Amino acid sequence: MPVDVSDPVVLKVFWDRLISVTNEQAAALIRTAFTPVLRDAQDLSAGLFDSRGLMIAQAVTGTPGHINSMATAMKHCLEEYPPETLQPGDVLITNDPWFTSGHLNDLTVTTPVFRGSRLVGFFSNICHAVDIGGLPLSAAATDVYEEGLYIPIIKLYKRGEPNEDFFEILRANVRDPQAVLGDLHAQVACNEVGRRRLLALLHEFGLENFDDAADLITQRSEEAMRQAIEALPNGEYSAETWADGYEDPVHIKVRVIVEGDELTVDFTGTSPESPRGINVVFNYTLAYTTFAVKAAISPEIPNNDGSFRPIHMVAPPGCILHAQRPAPVAARHILGHFVPGVIFRALGKVLAERAMAGGADPIWLITVQGRREAGEGFTFTFFSMGGTGARAEKDGLSTTGFPSGVAGCPVEVTENLTPVLVHRRELRQDSGGAGRFRGGLGQTLELGIRNEWAYHIAASTDRIRFPGEGVSGGCAGARGSTVLHSGDAVNLKAMAQVPSEKSVIMQLPGGGGFGHPFERDPQSVLQDVLNAYISLEAARREYGVVISRTAPEDELVLMPEDFQIDEPATVDLRSIGRPQCLEESDDT
């Protein structure tokens, strides 16, 4: 006998079980993946859709750029393959940037779920492929055709039988077919795990499908989101920021318009498309827009089709956040990751304790290509993170993936799987912007190779010209940099060739500070000195806190009692001085 999903207790139990199904879907993908970009960094997303293609639930693992664009991608899949054209055992695939998550390296795999002959839903996932042919992953291309193999929405499997012709085409167009096809098979397998668990769940609850439950779930999410928006004062809130761009700086402008229980995010005035691959498609901008609004005003609401409905976005066609075919888009996340931060700062006046300073914003996606000791080629992709901006009531997070949820790759994994040698990976002292609450620290990463072959490296860098902004009197975070160990600057937005005897040093940027630095508790400044987050010089220069070291200069092991705050000198300095970082910002 079917259960009554309209019963709040039953619906809550059913909802929790749906989440567990999607988590198992994602776990199966992670366990069976071939590459560290999925297995360790978890650059993937997995989700469940009802029979109409509406996103209902998602795994806790994943990135907003994948998850929320997957919701739009499903609509395109159903336009290409309406439900009546699908059969049990079918699996769809595409990497169309304008239909999915914005660049060719992301493969979207979708599996319809049938109960008997009746379509009851879909499982879908998006994963980053380590290679897709074309130019090595960078911002160097001048159109999307240079960036790799384009896959329209097609059937990867037909009634359970693989599309061998497609697999052969893919195998012939990528540099590491074992890794790419291995991850692709993992994507198919994880959807199958989800399919089996969903059918078992429907059988257990005596349901023919879950559309009624889906309606209740999305309705409640929509109502909660509308209430959260309605709690904001009506009005327009604006902000702007600058990104390095490829050759020319990029200006991002936003207006957030609150009208009753609906909210519109308008990017009119943002810079036009770039001739290089830093352009962002509408889907990806929308994905990070809906994420930003939910994270800012209602993080506890489930992320599904219902929570999207009161949020609208305007991005004029042809601007860099709404690029048109065939613009190059490989490094689209560089600017896409700026979207949440500028929205947070626009809403900062009404967010109270949830307001946030500017962060390092784009995660640096690093690709290294070269040869192994035996001469065969390798391609390795991993992520490195800078610091997040300080919050109104908390310090920023150091070396943390935001707004994406991906993780860094352990050094041991990198060095075990490739000839890449990690000379240094350490927190970058004094990189967090000074403030009442300090910005998160960036990191220093030095890479080389342990054989005689030259290697190529590219990274999706930014915040080298324009640092993460401080807020409410806080200072900007430290800028990033990319240099050879000789000190010569190197542009990693294009693939750079490096001789085997040279290493590359990447200084990732820090987050901006929140509030005036002289308002920071001197004891917190002392603790930052003890943790080596800031230097003694920065404590005095930026925070007006005079700390004396009582231990001998040659003492290697220092204890907290070896440092002492000079309280009278601190009071005097704070009364007559000014943080140097604020003076520098005045000059610029």
Side-chain angles (χ1 to χ4, degrees):
M1 182 175 179
V3 299
D4 180 10
V5 293
S6 65
D7 183 302
V9 175
V10 173
L11 184 63
K12 178 63 167 65
V13 172
F14 188 76
W15 166 252
D16 288 343
R17 294 290 296 278
L18 288 181
I19 294 297
S20 71
V21 168
T22 58
N23 285 339
E24 190 166 352
Q25 175 197 8
L29 175 52
I30 292 168
R31 288 197 299 266
T32 56
F34 275 46
T35 63
V37 74
L38 302 188
R39 190 176 58 244
D40 297 293
Q42 299 181 13
D43 188 16
L44 57 94
S45 293
L48 170 64
F49 298 75
D50 68 10
S51 66
R52 298 155 294 189
L54 303 180
M55 190 171 81
I56 306 303
Q58 65 181 66
V60 295
T61 298
T63 75
H66 284 170
I67 292 167
N68 290 3
S69 63
M70 192 162 60
T72 310
M74 182 60 66
K75 296 178 173 63
H76 294 297
C77 288
L78 291 182
E79 288 174 1
E80 186 69 25
Y81 286 96
E84 62 271 15
T85 68
L86 298 172
Q87 301 284 340
D90 286 351
V91 179
L92 305 179
I93 185 173
T94 185
N95 69 345
D96 187 321
W98 283 266
F99 284 173
T100 55
S101 61
H103 71 174
L104 295 174
N105 282 77
D106 283 344
L107 301 182
T108 301
V109 174
T110 301
T111 302
V113 180
F114 287 85
R115 191 170 190 192
S117 60
R118 181 173 184 173
L119 178 67
V120 297
F122 300 85
F123 281 95
S124 190
N125 66 79
I126 298 179
C127 295
H128 181 94
V130 69
D131 186 63
I132 200 65
L135 289 175
L137 182 59
S138 71
T142 57
D143 64 37
V144 73
Y145 301 111
E146 295 181 61
E147 295 179 330
L149 180 68
Y150 164 72
I151 306 167
I153 302 172
I154 61 171
K155 288 188 178 181
L156 182 64
Y157 281 75
K158 299 178 182 179
R159 298 186 181 183
E161 296 297 321
N163 183 344
E164 295 291 359
D165 290 339
F166 169 75
F167 280 104
E168 286 301 315
I169 292 172
L170 183 61
R171 185 178 292 110
N173 277 275
V174 297
R175 296 172 178 85
D176 191 345
Q178 182 180 25
V180 174
L181 270 68
D183 282 351
L184 179 55
H185 286 302
Q187 290 185 255
V188 175
C190 83
N191 283 356
E192 176 62 15
V193 169
R195 184 189 72 85
R196 293 177 182 178
R197 296 297 180 265
L198 178 62
L199 291 178
L201 178 62
L202 294 179
H203 177 75
E204 178 184 342
F205 278 71
L207 300 174
E208 290 298 318
N209 59 60
F210 70 103
D211 283 356
D212 290 342
D215 286 339
L216 291 170
I217 290 167
T218 54
Q219 179 184 345
R220 293 187 176 194
S221 297
E222 180 181 356
E223 290 172 353
M225 179 60 77
R226 290 188 181 278
Q227 290 172 6
I229 294 172
E230 202 164 22
L232 300 174
N234 283 347
E236 293 188 8
Y237 308 94
S238 61
E240 59 186 339
T241 191
W242 286 89
D244 297 349
Y246 189 87
E247 293 170 340
D248 299 319
V250 172
H251 192 199
I252 298 175
K253 296 185 66 174
V254 69
R255 285 189 309 138
V256 180
I257 303 116
V258 179
E259 295 179 307
D261 62 357
E262 300 211 341
L263 183 150
T264 300
V265 178
D266 187 347
F267 291 100
T268 299
T270 293
S271 294
E273 286 180 15
S274 168
R276 298 289 184 166
I278 58 172
N279 298 293
V280 190
V281 302
F282 186 89
N283 274 12
Y284 198 76
T285 303
L286 179 62
Y288 273 109
T289 295
T290 52
F291 159 75
V293 172
K294 192 179 97 62
I297 69 173
S298 56
E300 71 286 349
I301 297 174
N303 190 60
N304 57 39
D305 188 79
S307 63
F308 300 153
R309 292 169 190 163
I311 303 170
H312 313 285
M313 190 190 83
V314 176
C319 81
I320 204 164
L321 297 179
H322 188 177
Q324 305 297 292
R325 297 179 191 268
V329 292
R332 87 303 190 219
H333 79 278
I334 294 178
L335 292 180
H337 284 183
F338 275 83
V339 167
V342 74
I343 292 174
F344 289 164
R345 289 192 291 285
L347 288 171
K349 295 177 182 178
V350 293
L351 287 182
E353 71 278 0
R354 293 194 297 274
M356 189 173 181
D361 291 323
I363 290 173
W364 289 20
L365 188 155
I366 302 166
T367 299
V368 183
Q369 289 188 337
R371 297 188 185 184
R372 301 184 185 277
E373 284 74 4
E376 71 273 18
F378 77 90
T379 298
F380 191 74
T381 297
F382 62 101
F383 301 95
S384 195
M385 295 81 172
T388 72
R391 283 74 56 87
E393 295 185 351
K394 293 181 180 179
D395 290 342
L397 302 174
S398 299
T399 63
T400 298
F402 183 83
S404 177
V406 298
C409 186
V411 170
E412 296 81 359
V413 172
T414 300
E415 295 188 338
N416 185 52
L417 295 179
T418 72
V420 173
L421 186 61
V422 182
H423 295 283
R424 278 191 294 159
R425 187 180 180 190
E426 60 192 18
L427 289 174
R428 186 182 171 197
Q429 191 179 61
D430 293 338
S431 59
R436 181 173 65 250
F437 293 100
R438 174 185 43 74
L441 273 62
Q443 63 178 293
T444 299
L445 181 65
E446 183 175 0
L447 302 177
I449 201 84
R450 59 171 183 264
N451 59 37
E452 73 277 12
W453 304 102
Y455 60 102
H456 292 79
I457 183 169
S460 52
T461 63
D462 211 281
R463 291 295 194 196
I464 291 174
R465 285 192 262 183
F466 301 98
E469 302 93 337
V471 168
S472 297
C475 296
R479 295 177 176 86
S481 68
T482 55
V483 299
L484 299 179
H485 78 289
S486 60
D488 296 327
V490 58
N491 176 19
L492 296 185
K493 278 184 176 161
M495 185 67 76
Q497 179 172 318
V498 183
S500 61
E501 68 275 10
K502 292 188 177 182
S503 61
V504 176
I505 301 172
M506 287 171 270
Q507 300 269 17
L508 276 78
F514 199 109
H516 196 285
F518 282 6
E519 296 174 0
R520 187 166 178 80
D521 182 355
Q523 289 298 326
S524 296
V525 177
L526 175 60
Q527 190 60 51
D528 281 348
V529 169
L530 296 174
N531 290 332
Y533 295 163
I534 67 173
S535 62
L536 282 171
E537 295 76 12
R540 183 186 188 103
R541 181 180 67 242
E542 311 296 357
Y543 293 95
V545 177
V546 182
I547 300 174
S548 58
R549 172 175 167 166
T550 59
E553 287 297 326
D554 58 353
E555 186 72 41
L556 297 179
V557 179
L558 299 174
M559 304 297 290
E561 56 267 25
D562 294 326
F563 296 90
Q564 186 175 2
I565 297 174
D566 187 332
E567 295 184 2
T570 296
V571 171
D572 289 344
L573 182 57
R574 286 187 163 186
S575 66
I576 63 173
R578 189 164 186 256
Q580 183 174 321
C581 54
L582 294 181
E583 294 178 357
E584 292 172 350
S585 66
D586 289 345
D587 293 339
T588 57

